[in-house]
Amino acid sequence: FRVRVVVIVLVKVMVYSFRVRVVVIVLVKVMVYSFRVRVVVRVLVKVLVYSFRVIVGVIVLVKVMVYSFRVRVVVRVLVKVMVYSFRVIVGVRVLVKVMVYSFRVRVVVIVLVKVMVYSFRVRVVVIVLVKV
């Protein structure tokens, strides 16, 4: 009877130890799985942070491109204004030269008219003197 009891107790201990082993194995697997889950979660968080940084980088790049486009437009407008003002300056210089030239022409015309009037007077005087 004692042997039976001892055998039964030993069998129960073995079963219990087997169950403990199974539980320990399951716990180890759960710990490994939870570790893997933690690693995956960390990787996902890092990916999310990286993708957020990429999104922010893309937004910044788009803003820089828009700003550089606006700067290009402003530079083009400034260049056009500078070209236009240069043309205006050239036009003003040409107008001033034309005005100076037309003034000189007027002076020459006035001098020519005076010379013609003077020569006419001289002719009249010469004609009068010849007749006298």
Side-chain angles (χ1 to χ4, degrees), residues 7-98:
V7 168
I8 291 174
V9 168
L10 280 175
V11 168
K12 286 186 176 181
V13 167
M14 286 173 62
V15 168
Y16 184 75
S17 69
F18 177 75
R19 289 179 180 165
V20 168
R21 285 182 191 162
V22 169
V23 168
V24 168
I25 292 172
V26 169
L27 282 175
V28 168
K29 286 185 177 180
V30 166
M31 287 172 62
V32 169
Y33 184 75
S34 67
F35 177 76
R36 289 180 181 165
V37 168
R38 286 181 194 162
V39 170
V40 169
V41 167
R42 285 181 186 169
V43 169
L44 283 174
V45 168
K46 287 183 179 179
V47 167
L48 281 166
V49 169
Y50 184 75
S51 65
F52 177 74
R53 289 179 181 167
V54 168
I55 291 170
V56 169
V58 168
I59 291 172
V60 169
L61 281 175
V62 168
K63 287 185 178 180
V64 167
M65 288 173 63
V66 168
Y67 183 75
S68 66
F69 177 75
R70 289 179 181 166
V71 168
R72 286 182 193 161
V73 170
V74 169
V75 168
R76 285 183 185 167
V77 169
L78 283 175
V79 168
K80 287 183 179 179
V81 167
M82 287 172 63
V83 168
Y84 184 75
S85 65
F86 177 75
R87 289 178 181 165
V88 168
I89 291 171
V90 170
V92 168
R93 286 183 182 169
V94 169
L95 283 175
V96 168
K97 287 183 179 179
V98 167

